[in-house]
Amino acid sequence: MDTSANQPTEGSEIIRQFLPNSPYVNHLGIQLTDLRKDQATLTLPFTGELITIGTTIHGGAIASLIDTSAMVAAWSGATASADTRGTTVALTVNYLAAAQKEDIQATARVLRRGRSLIYLDVEVHSASGTLVAKGLVTYKLG
């Protein structure tokens, strides 16, 4: 009986395989920029399809970047098996400035790991350095 599928694996390896195969992540164009234990940085390259009005990036795209970067950071420090699943259980976004016609980057950091819940802080900056949004995310792995 092959039990290799149930052997513990570093979550960062699982997420490196997941991201390139996620249709929604690919649709938005989100790219993994940096991955460390309990921290992840993802970039959302600017495209005209992300605009809500004028040259402003839609808040939903920013929220998706926050959610995705938190997911990546949550998995990055986890030991998981092939049947481990995860989901966002809470997401709070505070928009601080408009992101205008430029790439944005989110850095998610684990604040605390519980038995199954992971609490994360996410900052989104524009390419020019403006703090665009802050997110607090609770993610569940199990």
Side-chain angles (χ1 to χ4, degrees), residues 35-57:
L35 182 60
R36 303 171 193 195
K37 184 178 186 233
D38 292 338
Q39 182 175 317
T41 301
L42 280 71
T43 300
L44 177 62
F46 176 79
T47 66
E49 289 78 21
L50 297 176
I51 291 174
T52 185
I53 192 165
T55 60
T56 303
I57 296 175

Side-chain angles (χ1 to χ4, degrees), residues 34-41 69 72-74 76-77 107-110 113 120:
D34 186 45
L35 182 60
R36 303 171 193 195
K37 184 178 186 233
D38 292 338
Q39 182 175 317
T41 301
S69 63
V72 172
S76 72
T107 299
R109 292 176 181 86
V110 171
R113 281 185 183 276
L120 304 106

Side-chain angles (χ1 to χ4, degrees), residues 2-115:
D2 180 15
T3 59
S4 61
N6 293 322
Q7 295 300 315
T9 306
E10 289 299 315
S12 58
E13 292 309 312
I14 292 170
I15 209 67
R16 284 182 194 279
Q17 293 173 23
F18 167 80
L19 277 176
N21 295 304
S22 168
Y24 186 64
V25 169
N26 286 320
H27 174 73
L28 289 175
I30 295 173
Q31 303 167 355
L32 179 62
T33 305
D34 186 45
L35 182 60
R36 303 171 193 195
K37 184 178 186 233
D38 292 338
Q39 182 175 317
T41 301
L42 280 71
T43 300
L44 177 62
F46 176 79
T47 66
E49 289 78 21
L50 297 176
I51 291 174
T52 185
I53 192 165
T55 60
T56 303
I57 296 175
H58 193 283
I62 296 169
S64 292
L65 178 63
I66 289 171
D67 185 40
T68 304
S69 63
M71 174 196 65
V72 172
W75 279 86
S76 72
T79 301
S81 65
D83 60 348
T84 301
R85 298 292 178 254
T87 188
T88 299
V89 296
L91 171 66
T92 301
V93 178
N94 290 307
Y95 298 97
L96 305 172
Q100 298 287 339
K101 202 174 181 178
E102 62 183 324
D103 296 354
I104 56 175
Q105 193 169 72
T107 299
R109 292 176 181 86
V110 171
L111 298 171
R112 182 178 184 277
R113 281 185 183 276
R115 283 194 342 238

